[in-house]
Amino acid sequence: MKKMMVMVSAFSLSVSLLSGCSGKESDDEKIHLEFFQNKSEAVGTFDKLISKFEKEHPNIDIEQNNVPDSETVLRTRLVKEDVPDILGIGGNATYGDIAEADVFYDFTKDPAVDKVIPNYVQALNQLAGKKNEVNGIPFATNANMVLYNKAKFRKLGLQVPQTWDELISTAQKIKKEGQVPFYLTLKDAWTAMVPFNSLIANTQGENFFKERDADRTTFQKRYGEASEKMLTLLKYGHKDNFGRDYNSGNKAFANGESFMYLQGNWAISSIKSLNKNIDIGTFPLPATNDPAKNKLVSGVDTVLTMSKDNPHKKESLMFINFLLKPENTKMYMKEQNSFSAVKGVYQDDPALANLNPYFKKQQITGFPEHFFPAGIPIANLLQGFLIQKEEKPFLKKLDREWDKVKARQ
């Protein structure tokens, strides 16, 4: 196994871009495949999985390639028609753009499709604007959630809220005790998207983006409820909501400075590294007053795909199907504190196990954020709205920005 460097110099990057390393056969008579993946924190885990795969398939050598700013690098390589053999990338607008351009392989008839939760396949198809072709296999998933301090909840006799009203009632009780309900970290604009994604996804209605593209609805019509609820959450933060960042929030929650923390599964490792004894619980943010309608917002953190022109399709598919084996995806989940898109594979970490019923019932929905084109800085617009607290200008601006970007496409 060869590992391409996590950090690459400009020179080595340019060499990589010019030469590529796709599916080449070398003097050792092995088939060499490049696995381009975007998660630096997962390099070690993928190293272990690649090593295991190569022991089972000694004629195949997998080169893991993880670079900073992977989406930009990938787009650059695509322009040069230098597509990696196998890719592990985020299931976001970039994936959708590339899939829409017919760069990726069509997995429709591959057994890998039947191994994963259909909701995630549909979400990826929506991003790509396709109905009858599957261009990516969801592998690892993530989720927005409310992290809560179990010990502090027990001390005040609090129950996990099931509805929006119960969530606010819980926050009021905590505040009445002189404590901080939510530790907000709005110095980093992206952290505002965590609760906003949950609120939007559960209140914007079906097919919002499809209808918005067809000019049958607007943000002003459908985003009012979510915007108002964001302002409500703001009342239950601490005294410096816009002065603290993500790292400060992890540290504060680890130190017991708030009862709840609006974040995702990705924050848990950091929090536990700061306080290994903290007893963390999780629940989906209850966006409505009907528990049956409150879905967990979960997206494809890593989608596996490959070039449609890959000269070694058979071997690349072998690697993708190897990663989807329950024992391998479970190892990835454990090391990365993620969830799996593979059917029947669930998290057994006590901090996340409470969310398993949502996956089992497929009471999940995708990240609305992933449907915003890169030209719309939704996180920064949301941060500005929360500072100014003026809903109508915010929603009007969303409509204006959407129309402007779409007109350029």
Side-chain angles (χ1 to χ4, degrees):
M1 174 178 61
K2 298 174 183 174
K3 289 183 288 185
M4 295 184 77
M5 61 299 295
V6 174
M7 299 296 292
V8 293
S9 67
F11 172 75
S12 61
L13 175 61
S14 66
V15 169
S16 173
L17 291 175
L18 289 170
S19 63
C21 51
S22 299
K24 58 190 178 185
E25 294 183 44
S26 65
D27 294 341
D28 59 12
E29 297 184 347
K30 286 186 177 183
I31 294 171
H32 295 263
L33 302 175
E34 178 190 4
F35 175 45
F36 182 100
Q37 69 87 12
N38 68 329
K39 294 186 71 68
S40 58
E41 62 271 36
V43 168
T45 302
F46 277 126
D47 275 349
K48 295 174 191 172
L49 290 168
I50 289 170
S51 179
K52 184 180 175 185
F53 175 82
E54 289 177 344
K55 283 180 183 173
E56 294 177 14
H57 305 281
N59 63 320
I60 303 175
D61 179 85
I62 306 286
E63 296 182 1
Q64 180 178 183
N65 185 4
N66 173 262
V67 296
D69 199 3
S70 59
E71 290 192 4
T72 301
V73 172
L74 181 58
R75 285 179 183 275
T76 305
R77 289 186 55 172
L78 293 180
V79 170
K80 297 173 181 290
E81 298 184 352
D82 178 23
V83 188
D85 299 300
I86 312 164
L87 299 98
I89 57 177
N92 55 20
T94 297
Y95 164 80
D97 290 344
I98 300 172
E100 192 175 11
D102 289 327
V103 171
F104 296 142
Y105 177 76
D106 180 6
F107 292 86
T108 307
K109 295 181 180 177
D110 192 273
V113 179
D114 297 325
K115 295 176 183 174
V116 295
I117 296 173
N119 288 24
Y120 292 120
V121 176
Q122 291 165 11
L124 292 175
N125 281 356
Q126 265 190 294
L127 287 168
K130 294 186 177 180
K131 289 183 179 177
N132 302 315
E133 188 172 320
V134 178
N135 293 128
I137 305 298
F139 173 60
T141 67
N142 52 24
N144 278 355
M145 61 192 68
V146 181
L147 309 181
Y148 72 100
N149 186 315
K150 286 185 176 179
K152 294 175 84 68
F153 262 54
R154 282 194 296 270
K155 197 171 181 181
L156 286 190
L158 301 172
Q159 301 296 316
V160 170
Q162 302 294 317
T163 67
W164 170 258
D165 285 351
E166 288 178 6
L167 177 71
I168 298 306
S169 174
T170 300
Q172 288 171 341
K173 289 175 185 173
I174 296 167
K175 193 171 181 179
K176 196 174 178 180
E177 293 293 324
Q179 306 276 334
V180 176
F182 303 109
Y183 201 93
L184 302 178
T185 56
L186 299 173
K187 184 177 181 181
D188 283 334
W190 70 267
T191 65
M193 291 305 302
V194 176
F196 199 50
N197 271 315
S198 295
L199 292 168
I200 296 170
N202 286 292
T203 62
Q204 71 181 4
E206 295 293 326
N207 300 319
F208 171 79
F209 289 100
K210 188 176 179 182
E211 294 188 19
R212 183 64 187 83
D213 276 343
D215 287 329
R216 290 197 291 265
T217 191
T218 63
F219 289 96
Q220 294 171 77
K221 289 179 182 174
R222 300 270 196 94
Y223 273 43
E225 182 178 351
S227 302
E228 288 173 16
K229 287 180 174 176
M230 282 298 292
L231 292 179
T232 301
L233 291 175
L234 205 58
K235 298 175 185 175
Y236 300 100
H238 49 87
K239 293 179 180 177
D240 192 17
N241 290 331
F242 295 96
R244 305 300 170 86
D245 61 13
Y246 172 67
N247 290 327
S248 302
N250 289 351
K251 187 176 180 182
F253 185 72
N255 290 337
E257 294 178 36
S258 74
F259 278 61
M260 294 178 278
Y261 188 38
L262 306 170
Q263 259 302 335
N265 54 294
W266 51 83
I268 293 176
S269 294
S270 171
I271 293 166
K272 285 187 173 178
S273 71
L274 295 163
N275 179 1
K276 65 180 180 182
N277 296 318
I278 188 170
D279 192 2
I280 299 175
T282 54
F283 60 89
L285 192 153
T288 78
N289 281 329
D290 183 349
K293 291 182 179 177
N294 291 327
K295 295 181 179 179
L296 176 71
V297 172
S298 175
V300 180
D301 197 38
T302 298
V303 51
L304 300 171
T305 186
M306 63 187 205
S307 161
K308 71 175 183 181
D309 298 321
N310 185 334
H312 295 289
K313 290 186 176 68
K314 179 185 171 185
E315 291 79 8
S316 298
L317 285 170
M318 285 167 62
F319 181 63
I320 289 172
N321 278 280
F322 166 85
L323 292 178
L324 295 175
K325 287 183 177 180
E327 63 269 27
N328 296 331
T329 188
K330 203 154 191 169
M331 172 194 160
Y332 185 93
M333 286 167 58
K334 185 176 181 181
E335 294 202 2
Q336 298 299 314
N337 277 308
S338 66
F339 302 98
S340 177
V342 176
K343 293 175 183 173
V345 178
Y346 303 110
Q347 256 290 358
D348 52 15
D349 185 312
L352 296 167
N354 284 350
L355 301 177
N356 284 338
Y358 289 86
F359 291 99
K360 290 177 181 176
K361 291 185 292 184
Q362 295 189 29
Q363 192 175 339
I364 54 179
T365 186
F367 283 75
E369 177 185 5
H370 291 173
F371 290 88
F372 281 83
I376 300 179
I378 177 63
N380 292 332
L381 293 174
L382 177 61
Q383 184 190 47
F385 157 61
L386 294 175
I387 292 171
Q388 294 165 3
K389 300 182 179 60
E390 294 180 350
E391 180 187 322
K392 287 184 179 178
F394 167 59
L395 297 180
K396 276 186 180 179
K397 190 162 189 174
L398 283 186
D399 279 317
R400 195 165 57 245
E401 291 293 317
W402 187 272
D403 291 337
K404 193 193 311 178
V405 170
K406 290 294 177 178
R408 292 200 297 261
Q409 293 180 342

